[in-house]
Amino acid sequence: MLSTLHEQFSLREFNTFGVEARARWFCRVRSADELAALAAEPRLAGLPRLVLGGGSNLLLTGDFDGLVVKVEVPGLRDLGDADGAWHIEVGAGENWHATVERLLAMERPGLENLALIPGNCGAAPIQNIGAYGLELAERFDSLSAWDFDSQQTMRMSTAECDFGYRDSIFKRAMAGRRVILAITLALPRQWLPVAGYADVAQELKARGIAQPGARDIFDAVVATRRRKLPDPAVIGNAGSFFKNPIVSRDEHRALIAHHPSLVGYPLSGGRVKLAAAWLIDAAGLKGATRGRAGVYEKQALVLVNRGGATGAEILALAREVQDKVAEKFGLWLEPEPVIV
Ligand SMILES: Cc1cc2nc3c(=O)[nH]c(=O)nc-3n(C[C@H](O)[C@H](O)[C@H](O)COP(=O)(O)OP(=O)(O)OC[C@H]3O[C@@H](n4cnc5c(N)ncnc54)[C@H](O)[C@@H]3O)c2cc1C
């Protein structure tokens, strides 16, 4: 059955940048049947589609002349253990942080490093969310998704999702085509702390915790994030606006020769992940304001809406950041959020 279709619908409340943009059509869906009904609706035929979760990883640069599908599939099911892991299926519309907390309470730890990431569970695979030394891919089994082309629900394994650093097939070939209905997590039964990341390690040390449990890591991550990142309810933002660039060992050597304090983290295979925040700061843009858009003063990776900014203003600032970093370091920063 087709759920209510709204015409010329404001998306201001549905994106954490808090920018105004209108959708020609807007619809909430809770099941594959409702998606099938949308696909059959003649008024929507041939229109571009935007799938929406919590709106915390996108920048709307203008009105959307198509259909916005807000995914609200509910539910959480413990599927039991298999292959040494607890398998939990969660509806795409469930809030991510609330799910992390709920699983901890159910004694199903494993996601604590990803606490307080805004948005919904259905969007977690899109950019393979990651933080403080852990990525979703390490706690993932499979997902079910509705495919607009074949009009069927299908299962996709970790390999089929083709996860990368802040990346998956959903940002590429499957963008706008597949709607994730539910994800199945795989949480190792033999829980081990992931506590090596500097910020988490420091926070645990400051709390006098040498052998942290999952709750300790959860608390340390939440405290660190609250200190460092702006709350979108107070100041509009989409978290990190740029990915950390990854360079070869030789490129890194050449950069270090000119910029000895450049911050980078070694990866396997000799490559180095550079701190984009350091590059932006060194390009003189930390705390910058352009009109009503800005670079957050406490964390240069985050672009903010200082009040009433348009998506186009934020995009113009993002372009300036890219240009200045490219000019100074010869590196092009890739945006992390989806730009619509
Ligand atoms: C303050 C702040 C901190 C953040 N910190 C982090 C962090 O530490 N690590 C990190 O990885 N991210 C972080 N983010 C980014 C963001 O929270 C995540 O990417 C999150 O998973 C986005 O979820 P969402 O529901 O808001 O997705 P949306 O913003 O609604 O959508 C993002 C993308 O996913 C697609 N999408 C959403 N739902 C579905 C679905 N059901 N099926 C198919 N496609 C879908 C959309 O079309 C869009 O392309 C942060 C954001 C903010 C505002």
Side-chain angles (χ1 to χ4, degrees):
M1 204 189 76
L2 185 65
S3 32
T4 311
L5 261 180
H6 302 270
E7 206 173 348
Q8 293 303 331
F9 190 84
S10 169
L11 299 174
R12 185 193 280 264
E13 303 293 316
F14 295 88
N15 73 98
T16 58
F17 262 123
V19 300
E20 177 56 6
R22 282 182 174 270
R24 180 155 152 210
W25 297 103
F26 177 93
C27 189
R28 293 180 162 87
V29 295
R30 289 168 64 90
S31 67
D33 286 349
E34 289 177 8
L35 285 162
L38 272 185
E41 168 56 46
R43 284 174 293 174
L44 306 175
L47 289 180
R49 285 182 294 263
L50 171 66
V51 185
L52 190 64
S56 67
N57 207 28
L58 43 88
L59 176 61
L60 300 163
T61 58
D63 291 342
F64 187 73
D65 190 19
L67 168 68
V68 172
V69 181
K70 169 107 172 68
V71 184
E72 297 189 344
V73 181
L76 185 146
R77 278 197 310 150
D78 193 336
L79 305 177
D81 63 328
D83 306 325
W86 300 111
H87 285 216
I88 317 277
E89 188 186 57
V90 194
E94 296 290 337
N95 176 269
W96 175 262
H97 176 71
T99 302
V100 173
E101 217 171 4
R102 192 168 159 196
L103 290 171
L104 262 188
M106 288 165 61
E107 296 189 5
R108 298 286 181 269
L111 300 177
E112 48 286 344
N113 294 60
L114 307 179
L116 221 60
I117 296 181
N120 295 348
C121 291
I126 307 295
Q127 72 158 6
N128 178 26
I129 55 170
Y132 303 103
L134 188 73
E135 286 185 341
L136 176 77
E138 297 165 76
R139 300 284 185 264
F140 184 83
D141 175 70
S142 59
L143 57 78
S144 68
W146 161 263
D147 185 86
F148 266 107
D149 288 6
S150 65
Q151 310 240 339
Q152 278 177 357
T153 300
M154 42 189 64
R155 273 219 94 69
M156 292 174 73
S157 65
T158 307
E160 286 165 315
C161 293
D162 196 18
F163 292 123
Y165 163 58
R166 301 295 186 273
D167 193 36
S168 75
I169 195 156
F170 299 98
K171 276 193 151 182
R172 294 175 258 120
M174 295 300 161
R177 183 175 153 190
R178 292 214 176 145
V179 180
I180 296 171
L181 298 166
I183 61 173
T184 301
L185 300 159
L187 306 174
R189 288 193 58 163
Q190 294 248 303
W191 179 84
L192 287 171
V194 180
Y197 201 91
D199 284 344
V200 178
Q202 272 161 24
E203 184 67 33
L204 290 167
K205 197 170 167 211
R207 291 167 179 237
I209 301 169
Q211 303 215 309
R215 193 21 98 167
D216 298 320
I217 294 179
F218 176 91
D219 291 341
V221 167
V222 167
T224 306
R225 294 185 71 101
R226 290 223 162 102
R227 208 170 45 242
K228 293 199 155 180
L229 291 169
D231 177 356
V234 180
I235 180 160
N237 75 92
S240 303
F241 198 89
F242 299 102
K243 296 186 192 181
N244 290 315
I246 295 172
V247 296
S248 68
R249 190 181 309 171
D250 289 347
E251 284 170 305
H252 183 241
R253 271 202 207 108
L255 282 163
I256 280 280
H258 290 96
H259 310 283
S261 54
L262 176 75
V263 177
Y265 313 96
L267 300 177
S268 58
R271 296 180 314 151
V272 181
K273 191 193 271 185
L274 304 178
W278 187 92
L279 299 170
I280 298 167
D281 192 3
L285 287 165
K286 192 174 184 178
T289 297
R290 301 288 183 267
R292 294 164 293 180
V295 180
Y296 191 51
E297 23 293 296
K298 289 195 213 161
Q299 167 53 277
L301 252 191
V302 179
L303 300 189
V304 294
N305 179 353
R306 299 210 190 275
T310 62
E313 273 177 291
I314 295 166
L315 186 63
L317 175 59
R319 294 279 180 260
E320 183 184 339
V321 171
Q322 287 172 310
D323 288 344
K324 293 224 164 111
V325 167
E327 220 171 88
K328 196 168 166 76
F329 300 101
L331 294 165
W332 187 249
L333 294 181
E334 294 292 338
E336 191 181 293
V338 174
I339 295 173
V340 182

